Amino acid sequence: MYSKIMVPVDLTHADRLTKSLEVAAKLAQTFGAEIVYVGVTSALPGSIAHTPDEYRGKLEAFAKEQGEANGLTASGHMMVGHDVAVEIDHELIKAVDETGADLVVMASHIPNITDYVWPSNGGRVAGHAKCSVMIVRS
C-alpha cells in the first residue's frame, strides 16, 4: 500500500517524537516501506548544528539509528530554509515531492486556542501535500 514514508523530525525535540516515530516504524514494517526522515534547518548556526553539513550528518545518523533499531531501510533528507519558523510547512510540502513519499507521518500537539489564529504545521501539510498524511498526537 505504501512504499516510502516521510517522517518530519525536529532534532532539537527528538525526545518528544517517540509516538510518531513508533507509528511510522510499525507502518513501514507492515507495508515493507522505506522511511525517510526529513529535517529542516537554516544556513545559520543553531542549537543542533553550526552548519547545514553538520546538520545533515546528524540527521543521517538519526536515520541510521532509527533504521537499525526497527529493522528498516531509512535515510535522512535535509531541507534548508532562510527562516525555518516561517518556511517549515512549505519546505515539508516540497520534501514530499523531492523524496517521492506516498505517506507522511508527523507529530502534532493537542490543539489549543492559538490554533484558531495560526494553523498547525500538520494541518497545513495535510491540506497541501499530494499524498496521505497521518497526524499523530503526542
Side-chain angles (χ1 to χ4, degrees):
M1 178 171 251
Y2 298 109
S3 60
K4 188 172 259 188
I5 300 172
M6 181 180 120
V7 182
V9 294
D10 179 349
L11 294 179
T12 307
H13 303 291
D15 59 323
R16 297 184 195 168
L17 302 174
T18 304
K19 191 172 180 184
S20 62
L21 295 175
E22 289 174 358
V23 169
K26 292 288 185 199
L27 288 167
Q29 291 165 349
T30 300
F31 296 114
E34 172 185 346
I35 292 185
V36 59
Y37 297 96
V38 174
V40 182
T41 190
S42 165
L44 300 173
S47 61
I48 288 294
H50 296 92
T51 66
D53 284 338
E54 183 182 356
Y55 184 87
R56 179 181 286 112
K58 289 184 177 192
L59 181 62
E60 289 172 356
F62 177 84
K64 181 179 180 187
E65 177 185 299
Q66 290 293 313
E68 289 174 356
N70 294 292
L72 301 167
T73 301
S75 61
H77 183 83
M78 180 186 73
M79 305 292 290
V80 178
H82 298 309
D83 186 346
V84 176
V86 173
E87 298 175 342
I88 191 161
D89 300 334
H90 173 75
E91 294 298 324
L92 292 176
I93 293 164
K94 192 164 78 172
V96 170
D97 291 332
E98 289 184 10
T99 63
D102 51 9
L103 175 65
V104 176
V105 175
M106 63 188 295
S108 186
H109 60 282
I110 295 173
N112 59 41
I113 192 70
T114 61
D115 292 307
Y116 292 103
V117 179
W118 295 287
S120 67
N121 299 115
R124 177 140 322 136
V125 172
H128 297 284
K130 296 176 183 173
C131 67
S132 297
V133 178
M134 177 183 280
I135 309 297
V136 179
R137 288 213 175 128
S138 299

